[in-house]
Amino acid sequence: MKKSIFLINALFISYFLPAQHNKLSGVIIDSTTKQPVFGATILLNPGGKSVSADEMGKFILNNISATIIHLTISAIGYEQRYFTIVANSPEQIIKMKRQQTKLSDVLVTSYSGNPYKVLAETDIGMRGVANSQEVLRMVPGLFIGQHQGGGKAEQIFLRGFDADHGSDISIHMDGIPVNLVSHAHSKGYADSHFIIPETIERATFNKGPYDVEKGDQATAGWLDFNTVNKLSNNTIKLEAGQFSTFRALAMIDLLNSGIRPCKASWYAATEYSYSNSYFENHQHFKRFNFFTKFNYKISERQLISISASSFWSGWFASGQIPERAIDSGLVNYYGALDPNEGGVTSRTNFNIQLKSSLKNGGLVKNQLYYSFYKFDLHSNFTFYLDDPVNGDEIRQREKRNLVGYNGSYLHDGRIGNLKSTILYGVNIRLDITNNTELSHTHDRYVFLNLQKLGAITELGSSMYMNETIKLSGRWTIKGGMRFDHFHYRYNNKFNNDPTLKGSGIYRASNYIISPKININYQASTNTQLYLSFGKGFHTNDARVVVSGNGKQTLPAAYGSDVGVLYKPLKNLLIQTAVWYSYLQKEYVYAGDGGTVDFSGSTRRLGADLSIRFQPVKSMFFDLDLNYANGRSLNEVKGNNYIPLAPVWSSTAGISYINKTGWNASLRYRYLSNRPANEYYSFTCEGYFVNDLVIKYKAQRYEYGMVIDNLFNIKWKETQFATVTRLKNEQAAVDGISFTPGTKFAAKFSFSYYFGFKNLMKADK
C-alpha cells in the first residue's frame, strides 16, 4: 500500500515539473465547417514523435529539441498536410481540407490506445451509414437480428455473445446512454432507432472490457456515436421502395452559418418512415424522428453544445413462428400466428455538453442529459402453452425518467522525459420507472391478469482514473481503475409476485472495482502490437437484485486480447487478434416471461481478422472474419453449449467510387450454424445474404438504389429453441421458432443539397 501511495504522489508531482526544451501547440479545424478535427494525428519529422488532436482539435508537442519543426498532419477523410513552423511560436490554427477517404493517409500509431480507431474512421468514411441498422453494423463482427418488427431494439451478437438487446455491449450517442437498465423487456435494452443515420459524424468502438470510461454492459465491447456539430449543406432526401416503404428526411442549417465564419451553428434534422414490410401480416410500421443541435464558441477555449431529440414508433409484428407450423401448412413462411403482436415506443432526449480547454493543455468536459421514455410491447412466444383458451400473449410496458451527469479531466504532462496523459472521470446516472408492468392479455387490448407491477429506482455512480505513458518512443502503457456503485429500490405493487414476499419497498446495493491495462508496442512505422487485460461487468435487473437473497448479483467479466495492426503496403491494412473472456455468471433477467435464468460461469475464446485494401483510388475492399468458441464451465461436455452464441461470422464488401459521381457497393453477411440450446439438440441455421447499393452524386443532388437480399434467398434472421403449444394441440412441443429475414427488397432515393453558395469552395 505504501508503495502504491508513493507512486501516485510521484505521478501527481511530475505534472508540476518544468517542461524541457521547445514546444508547439495548435488547433486542427475543418477548412469548410471550421469545426475541430478530432483525432487528427500530428507527426514530428524527423524523430517520429506523434500526438492526437483532442475533441477541441487542440494538440501540444513538448520537449522538442529542434528549432525548426516539420510536421505531417493526417486525418482520415482529409488531405494530408505538411507544415513547417518555428518552435515556441504562438498557437497555430491549421486547416484541413476534406477529400475522399484513402488508406494511404492512414498512420499506424500506438498512442491512441484504441486498436480499432483506424478501422472505425476508415469504414464510416468509405461505406457511410445507409440506414438505422447500419448504425450498429459499423463494428466488425457485430451482427443484429430483428424478431418483433422494425420498432423494437435489435438482437445483438458480438464475440460469441448473444447480447440479447444490449446486455453485453454499451452504446452511447453524444454521451447519452442508449442502453436502458432494468427494462420492462430485457436487460440493457438498447433501441438506437432514435438516431438519424445522416447526422452521424463518427463512430468509435472497441471490443472487450478494456476502457475505464466504459462501465455497465461493456463486456463484449462498446460503441459510441457522435453527431455532426455543423452541416456542410442543407439536405432534402426522399426514399421509396417495395412493400409500401417510404422515408422522408430534411436537414436544415437554421443560422445559414455554412456560408460564413461565425461562433454559432444550429441545425435541425427530421425524418418520417413508413413500411408494411415483407410479412403477410402488414406491419404498418411508422417512425418519426426529430433532432436539433446548437453549438456556440463561448471563447477560444470553451465550446457549448445543446441538443434535443424526439422519437416515436408504432408497429404490428409477425413474431416468431415454430417450424412445425410452417411444415404442416398452418401458416405461410412469412405469416403470423398472433397478428396482434407489436408495440408503441417513444423517447425524448435533452443534452448539454461544455468542453473547456485549459491553458496548461488540459481538457475538461461536463455533460448533463435527460431522457423521457415510454414503451408498450405485446408479444406471444409460446402461443397456447400456459393458457389453452385465451393464449399466452403478454404485455410489457413502462414509463421512464433518466437523468445523468458525465464529467472528465484530460491532461498531457510528463514524468521526467516520458510523455504522460492522465484522465479522471465521474459518471452519475439515475433511472426512475413508473409502473413497470408484465401482464397477460388477449387480442392486444383485453386485459386478463397481472404478473408483475412495480416502480424501479436505480442509481449508478462511478469514478475512474487512467494514465497513458509513452516509453522510449515505441512502448505505450495505458492503465487505469474504475469503481462503480449501484443502489436499487423496487416498490412492488403486485402482492402475488412469486419472486418477492408480498408488496412493499425492497432495497439492495452492490459495487465493483474494475482494473484495466493496455500495452502497445510500435514495432515499426507500419506495425503496432497490442496486449490488453481488463475486468468489466453488466448489472442485472433491479427486481432480480432485490430478491437475490445473497446471491452474486454483480458478477465480473474478465477479458484479454493479443493483436497486431499491420500496414505492409500503403493501401493495405490488416488487423488480427486472439482473445479470451470469462464471466463469473451469465445472470440475466429474462424479460419475455418474467423469470430469472442462472447459467453459471462461462468462457469464450476466439479470433478476429479485419482487412482493408484500396488497390486504386476508386476501389475499396473490406473483410471481417470472426470465430468464437463459447462454453459453460459448470456443465459436463456435450451439455455445455451457450445457446444462440455465434461461432463463425463474416462480412465483406467491394466499394467503387468514381470521380464522375458514380459509386456502388456489393456486400455480404455470413453467420454460421450455432447451438440453439445447451445440448446442441437444436440448431440455429446460418445464412449468407448479399446487399447492393448504387448511387450517383453530383454537386447538388444524388440518386440512389439499395437492394437488400439481392439474390432473394430464404433465411432465418432470428431463431430460438422454445417450448410452444399451438391452438388445438394436446401437448407442448420443444423446437425452433424463428423470424424470417427480408425478401428481395429494392429501395430508391433522391437527395437534393442546397443553401450554401460556396459549398465546394473551402477556405485555403
Side-chain angles (χ1 to χ4, degrees):
M1 176 62 76
K2 290 182 178 180
K3 290 182 178 180
S4 299
I5 294 173
F6 175 80
L7 178 60
I8 292 172
N9 288 335
L11 295 178
F12 181 77
I13 293 171
S14 68
Y15 281 91
F16 297 93
L17 296 177
Q20 300 179 20
H21 304 293
N22 301 312
K23 75 172 186 177
L24 176 68
S25 63
V27 182
I28 312 295
I29 64 171
D30 185 299
S31 63
T32 301
T33 65
K34 308 301 184 294
Q35 295 298 302
V37 179
F38 171 54
T41 300
I42 299 91
L43 182 66
L44 179 64
N45 298 309
K49 179 184 293 187
S50 66
V51 296
S52 295
D54 65 21
E55 294 185 43
M56 298 283 283
K58 293 183 178 291
F59 71 91
I60 296 178
L61 279 164
N62 284 307
N63 202 30
I64 302 171
S65 58
T67 304
I68 305 298
I69 300 170
H70 303 277
L71 301 176
T72 300
I73 304 168
S74 178
I76 295 176
Y78 289 88
E79 288 184 1
Q80 200 170 76
R81 284 208 62 181
Y82 301 94
F83 200 80
T84 301
I85 189 67
V86 177
N88 298 319
S89 297
E91 187 172 79
Q92 302 296 305
I93 298 178
I94 302 172
K95 298 177 182 179
M96 302 283 286
K97 186 178 180 181
R98 286 188 179 271
Q99 66 170 12
Q100 178 189 323
T101 299
K102 296 190 299 182
L103 271 180
S104 57
D105 292 336
V106 173
L107 298 180
V108 176
T109 60
S110 62
Y111 197 69
S112 71
N114 184 347
Y116 293 94
K117 177 178 180 291
V118 170
L119 287 181
E121 294 175 345
T122 302
D123 287 352
I124 202 166
M126 294 299 299
R127 290 162 45 190
V129 179
N131 52 52
S132 58
Q133 290 184 322
E134 288 293 331
V135 166
L136 294 177
R137 289 180 182 148
M138 294 306 299
V139 180
L142 188 149
F143 274 66
I144 58 175
Q146 182 59 258
H147 62 261
Q148 239 282 352
K152 183 180 174 183
E154 283 84 6
Q155 187 179 9
I156 301 174
F157 303 95
L158 179 65
R159 279 205 162 179
F161 282 86
D162 166 25
D164 197 24
H165 298 291
S167 60
D168 289 284
I169 180 169
S170 174
I171 303 174
H172 289 77
M173 192 279 290
D174 285 340
I176 299 176
V178 177
N179 305 78
L180 299 177
V181 297
S182 300
H183 188 266
H185 180 71
S186 71
K187 185 68 193 74
Y189 187 86
D191 184 356
S192 59
H193 294 123
F194 67 87
I195 304 173
I196 300 175
E198 287 83 356
T199 64
I200 296 174
E201 180 178 46
R202 68 179 185 270
T204 310
F205 53 81
N206 200 358
K207 299 179 186 180
Y210 309 127
D211 296 274
V212 296
E213 303 96 317
K214 306 302 176 184
D216 196 9
Q217 274 91 48
T219 50
W222 57 266
L223 174 60
D224 284 356
F225 296 107
N226 292 93
T227 57
V228 296
N229 287 331
K230 185 177 182 180
L231 298 182
S232 57
N233 52 263
N234 298 320
T235 302
I236 298 292
K237 185 175 184 179
L238 300 174
E239 299 177 348
Q242 292 175 273
F243 315 118
S244 301
T245 298
F246 306 98
R247 179 175 181 253
L249 165 77
M251 297 175 63
I252 305 297
D253 187 320
L254 300 176
L255 295 180
N256 203 25
S257 59
I259 63 173
R260 63 184 186 277
C262 60
K263 289 186 175 182
S265 63
W266 185 20
Y267 71 90
T270 186
E271 68 165 351
Y272 175 78
S273 302
Y274 179 87
S275 180
N276 282 330
S277 195
Y278 52 91
F279 299 102
E280 291 184 356
N281 179 44
H282 287 176
Q283 285 193 0
H284 301 295
F285 166 75
K286 300 176 286 292
R287 181 171 68 226
F288 171 79
N289 266 322
F290 175 79
F291 177 76
T292 185
K293 191 173 186 180
F294 174 79
N295 285 273
Y296 182 72
K297 195 172 184 179
I298 300 172
S299 67
E300 290 301 316
R301 296 189 177 276
Q302 280 196 313
L303 177 67
I304 190 169
S305 176
I306 303 172
S307 62
S309 65
S310 187
F311 153 78
W312 179 91
S313 182
W315 71 98
F316 287 86
S318 174
Q320 297 159 207
I321 308 299
E323 289 180 336
R324 69 182 187 280
I326 296 172
D327 295 339
S328 66
L330 178 64
V331 66
N332 186 277
Y333 192 86
Y334 298 98
L337 290 173
D338 186 344
N340 294 299
E341 292 191 68
V344 177
T345 187
S346 63
R347 181 168 179 170
T348 299
N349 303 301
F350 297 96
N351 192 18
I352 301 176
Q353 294 175 289
L354 176 65
K355 299 176 184 177
S356 304
S357 181
L358 307 182
K359 290 183 178 180
N360 67 354
L363 177 65
V364 177
K365 294 194 294 183
N366 289 283
Q367 177 184 18
L368 286 171
Y369 61 85
Y370 168 77
S371 293
F372 177 69
Y373 172 79
K374 294 175 71 175
F375 177 83
D376 192 350
L377 180 69
H378 294 262
S379 308
N380 193 346
F381 305 103
T382 54
F383 305 104
Y384 290 89
L385 177 66
D386 299 318
D387 188 338
V389 177
N390 299 299
D392 299 344
E393 184 181 277
I394 59 172
R395 182 183 193 183
Q396 297 165 308
R397 60 175 173 171
E398 69 167 54
K399 291 182 182 179
R400 177 184 301 253
N401 287 282
L402 166 62
V403 61
Y405 166 79
N406 296 320
S408 66
Y409 171 66
L410 179 72
H411 181 258
D412 288 331
R414 306 198 69 78
I415 302 175
N417 291 324
L418 303 178
K419 180 180 178 182
S420 172
T421 300
I422 196 164
L423 171 67
Y424 300 100
V426 175
N427 305 129
I428 301 173
R429 170 177 175 167
L430 177 64
D431 290 75
I432 302 175
T433 75
N434 179 27
N435 289 342
T436 299
E437 175 187 336
L438 173 64
S439 57
H440 182 198
T441 57
H442 176 64
D443 289 340
R444 201 176 215 191
Y445 302 108
V446 179
F447 173 82
L448 296 177
N449 57 72
L450 196 62
Q451 296 178 2
K452 280 185 178 291
L453 181 66
I456 299 171
T457 301
E458 185 169 333
L459 174 64
S461 56
S462 63
M463 299 181 295
Y464 58 86
M465 172 185 172
N466 190 87
E467 183 157 23
T468 304
I469 302 174
K470 193 161 187 177
L471 304 172
S472 67
R474 288 183 179 270
W475 291 92
T476 303
I477 299 177
K478 177 181 177 183
M481 190 82 70
R482 181 181 179 93
F483 172 80
D484 289 88
H485 181 273
F486 300 93
H487 178 76
Y488 311 84
R489 180 183 184 273
Y490 182 55
N491 183 6
N492 181 30
K493 301 180 181 181
F494 179 48
N495 193 54
N496 295 323
D497 189 323
T499 64
L500 298 168
K501 299 176 181 179
S503 59
I505 295 176
Y506 295 78
R507 290 184 173 88
S509 62
N510 50 32
Y511 71 90
I512 192 168
I513 298 173
S514 307
K516 329 261 187 179
I517 186 166
N518 299 268
I519 302 171
N520 293 272
Y521 177 67
Q522 193 76 34
S524 66
T525 56
N526 61 358
T527 306
Q528 174 195 345
L529 307 175
Y530 61 91
L531 174 64
S532 300
F533 298 96
K535 177 183 176 183
F537 66 95
H538 62 209
T539 56
N540 285 283
D541 191 280
R543 291 160 289 186
V544 174
V545 178
V546 299
S547 62
N549 297 322
K551 296 185 178 70
Q552 188 180 36
T553 55
L554 195 57
Y558 298 89
S560 62
D561 268 55
V562 180
V564 58
L565 188 62
Y566 180 48
K567 196 179 179 189
L569 305 172
K570 67 177 183 179
N571 55 0
L572 175 63
L573 181 68
I574 301 172
Q575 180 173 23
T576 184
V578 293
W579 55 269
Y580 174 86
S581 70
Y582 166 80
L583 270 67
Q584 288 182 328
K585 278 186 180 292
E586 294 214 3
Y587 177 62
V588 297
Y589 177 75
D592 293 343
T595 60
V596 178
D597 291 334
F598 303 89
S599 63
S601 302
T602 59
R603 70 104 181 106
R604 294 170 172 85
L605 53 90
D608 297 333
L609 172 67
S610 294
I611 298 174
R612 305 293 184 263
F613 180 49
Q614 193 173 18
V616 293
K617 185 178 179 180
S618 59
M619 192 75 68
F620 181 75
F621 296 86
D622 65 276
L623 167 70
D624 296 308
L625 178 63
N626 312 97
Y627 170 75
N629 179 291
R631 295 292 185 268
S632 172
L633 298 179
N634 303 106
E635 303 293 339
V636 299
K637 186 176 181 180
N639 297 343
N640 61 343
Y641 294 95
I642 301 176
L644 309 183
V647 182
W648 286 99
S649 64
S650 179
T651 60
I654 304 174
S655 300
Y656 172 74
I657 302 175
N658 189 284
K659 62 182 180 181
T660 61
W662 285 102
N663 63 84
S665 176
L666 176 64
R667 305 193 59 76
Y668 78 72
R669 286 171 280 143
Y670 167 72
L671 193 62
S672 70
N673 291 351
R674 59 197 189 280
N677 58 9
E678 58 268 34
Y679 315 109
Y680 213 155
S681 56
F682 295 108
T683 300
C684 294
E685 296 178 5
Y687 58 80
F688 186 95
V689 179
N690 294 92
D691 304 315
L692 176 68
V693 177
I694 299 176
K695 293 181 179 180
Y696 176 77
K697 185 174 183 179
Q699 181 175 342
R700 292 295 180 183
Y701 61 86
E702 178 182 84
Y703 296 100
M705 177 181 69
V706 177
I707 299 178
D708 295 326
N709 192 3
L710 179 64
F711 300 108
N712 198 29
I713 66 165
K714 275 190 175 182
W715 60 291
K716 299 174 181 178
E717 186 165 15
T718 57
Q719 300 163 75
F720 304 87
T722 310
V723 178
T724 61
R725 181 164 63 174
L726 304 179
K727 194 171 185 178
N728 299 322
E729 281 187 335
Q730 297 302 309
V733 178
D734 192 4
I736 294 292
S737 294
F738 74 96
T739 300
T742 182
K743 301 177 181 178
F744 176 99
K747 182 172 62 177
F748 300 89
S749 65
F750 172 75
S751 300
Y752 176 62
Y753 310 113
F754 64 97
F756 303 160
K757 293 181 180 179
N758 63 343
L759 177 63
M760 306 300 289
K761 298 178 181 179
D763 293 342
K764 296 183 179 179

